[in-house]
Amino acid sequence: MGGRRLPALELSDGERFELKALTSRRKTGQAVALRARIVLACAQGAENREVAARLAVDKDTVGKWRRRFIEHRIDGLLDAPRSGAPRTIEDARIEAVIVKTLESTPKDATHWSSRGMAKASGLSISSVQRIWRAFGLQPHRLETFKLSTDPDFVAKVRDVVGLYVSPPEHAIVLCVDEKSQIQALDRSQPMLPMRPGQPARRSHDYKRHGTTSLFAALDIATGQVIGKCFARHRAAEFRKFLDEIEANVPHKLDVHLVMDNYATHKTPLIRNCLPGDRAGTSTSRRPAPPGSTRSSASSLSSPSARSGVESIAVSPPCAPTSGPSSSTTTPIPNPSSGLSPPTTSWLQSSASA
């Protein structure tokens, strides 16, 4: 009387190649590698008893993986996902940890630590850390903020953001700032270049060559920068930098500068460069629609102007000045057409507002 007939097991070339790779790959789990050997042996026509004796396993194990491969192919050789151990921490205890973290502080510290919370809640340190990580709680971190007391803060923010988001036609918006006291350092020995398996190396000591100040104007729309370095950081150097901007911006474009209320920007030298009596008048503020040019400005000498947004209409550009300096400029592209007459407006916005 013959035994039960075994189901046929045939392999494609791709399956055979992948099974052999599983048996020889060093990172393959030994259980998966054994199942691949069983399937390869069965594909040669051997019976379960022969394969079991050859691989030193039980014949029922051979029959199990033969059937799994026939039903699910190579995916059937992998372990099915498991649910894991049942939860031991109830939702109420998790809620208590979250509430205690958010609404209380320890007696001897400014914020909860994982060890302190574990001791107070009766949980393990790793359990507290998993709960905090799951709900995005970081008691050790602290961020700062500042609220402006300026009653016109919203209108001023609209002016600046409106220029950035929707600049006027035939105009360019530049963000101007300075970085002073930049140290010019040089290493005492030449730098050794990078090699395969070795990073670049430099000596730990250096030589000082004084300081420099960088003036820069960033075109937010294109990312281009007009930059210039000066030995000092005074109104005279800022005046020369305005000439640098004037020389690099096409004359058909209106210019809007967004800058802070640094004292260098409000000296008589800079104010005299911006003619017009309207610079000394105090007016109420209203958000200007995109494309318009303001004809009034807050007083430069009033207390509110020191933290406000100031817009000054300028007719002819200031006469260029000369002086030694090093510059790095990126030319601003010329628009295809410009129908409005060339004017220049300086928009000053306070960084502290």
Side-chain angles (χ1 to χ4, degrees):
M1 182 177 179
R4 186 174 57 180
R5 186 174 182 179
L6 297 176
L9 195 155
E10 297 179 356
L11 300 178
S12 64
D13 294 339
E15 290 175 337
R16 189 180 302 276
F17 177 81
E18 190 169 353
L19 289 172
K20 290 182 178 179
L22 289 176
T23 59
S24 59
R25 192 179 299 144
R26 291 186 299 175
K27 294 186 178 181
T28 303
Q30 291 302 311
V32 177
L34 176 60
R35 299 164 192 171
R37 295 189 187 98
I38 292 175
V39 173
L40 288 173
C42 293
Q44 295 175 357
E47 296 184 355
N48 291 350
R49 190 183 304 274
E50 299 175 3
V51 175
R54 187 190 310 174
L55 299 178
V57 294
D58 191 86
K59 66 176 183 177
D60 294 335
T61 302
V62 176
K64 171 185 175 181
W65 294 114
R66 177 194 288 267
R67 291 190 302 270
R68 286 278 296 271
F69 184 83
I70 293 174
E71 294 175 2
H72 306 287
R73 311 311 292 178
I74 293 180
D75 291 339
L77 303 182
L78 305 178
D79 293 328
R82 295 169 179 158
S83 59
R87 291 176 54 186
T88 58
I89 304 177
E90 299 83 4
D91 293 341
R93 300 187 68 183
I94 296 177
E95 181 182 0
V97 171
I98 297 173
V99 171
K100 186 182 289 291
T101 304
L102 296 176
E103 301 181 1
S104 65
T105 56
K107 297 181 180 180
D108 55 348
T110 59
H111 60 274
W112 286 104
S113 65
S114 57
R115 290 174 175 81
M117 179 58 69
K119 185 177 180 180
S121 61
L123 300 175
S124 64
I125 297 175
S126 59
S127 298
V128 172
Q129 291 174 342
R130 285 195 297 270
I131 294 173
W132 283 353
R133 192 181 304 112
F135 289 90
L137 299 178
Q138 298 176 324
H140 63 285
R141 296 191 61 184
L142 181 65
E143 296 181 353
T144 60
F145 67 93
K146 181 180 180 181
L147 297 177
S148 176
T149 57
D150 189 351
D152 298 328
F153 177 72
V154 175
K156 295 171 183 178
V157 170
R158 287 177 179 174
D159 282 338
V160 177
V161 176
L163 276 177
Y164 284 147
V165 175
S166 182
E169 294 182 359
H170 313 298
I172 184 173
V173 180
L174 300 177
C175 179
V176 177
D177 203 358
E178 303 97 331
K179 175 61 178 177
S180 60
Q181 301 298 318
I182 301 176
Q183 296 191 64
L185 304 179
D186 189 16
R187 297 292 161 176
S188 60
Q189 299 294 332
M191 187 173 178
L192 300 179
M194 177 178 57
R195 295 180 178 179
Q198 189 177 56
R201 292 162 294 167
R202 65 182 185 183
S203 60
H204 70 282
D205 53 342
Y206 52 84
K207 298 178 182 179
R208 297 179 182 269
H209 298 282
T211 59
T212 186
S213 296
L214 172 64
F215 292 76
L218 171 64
D219 184 2
I220 303 296
T222 63
Q224 295 174 327
V225 177
I226 301 174
K228 200 166 189 178
C229 291
F230 294 91
R232 303 184 67 179
H233 185 204
R234 302 173 302 175
E237 284 74 22
F238 182 69
R239 168 71 170 75
K240 297 175 184 177
F241 181 63
L242 293 181
D243 296 336
E244 185 73 16
I245 295 177
E246 187 71 26
N248 285 272
V249 175
H251 293 289
K252 293 183 179 181
L253 291 180
D254 294 342
V255 180
H256 297 268
L257 298 184
V258 180
M259 63 186 72
D260 57 19
N261 59 349
Y262 188 61
T264 303
H265 304 159
K266 299 186 291 185
T267 58
L269 177 62
I270 304 301
R271 295 180 61 183
N272 294 336
C273 184
L274 307 175
D277 298 335
R278 291 170 299 198
T281 60
S282 178
T283 61
S284 60
R285 300 290 303 173
R286 290 293 184 272
S292 65
T293 303
R294 294 191 181 276
S295 61
S296 60
S298 302
S299 173
L300 294 177
S301 59
S302 62
S304 61
R306 297 191 184 97
S307 62
V309 177
E310 298 155 2
S311 175
I312 302 172
V314 181
S315 19
C318 307
T321 59
S322 60
S325 62
S326 60
S327 63
T328 302
T329 60
T330 302
I332 305 299
N334 197 348
S336 58
S337 62
L339 303 178
S340 59
T343 59
T344 306
S345 63
W346 313 101
L347 177 67
Q348 295 180 329
S349 115
S350 169
S352 61

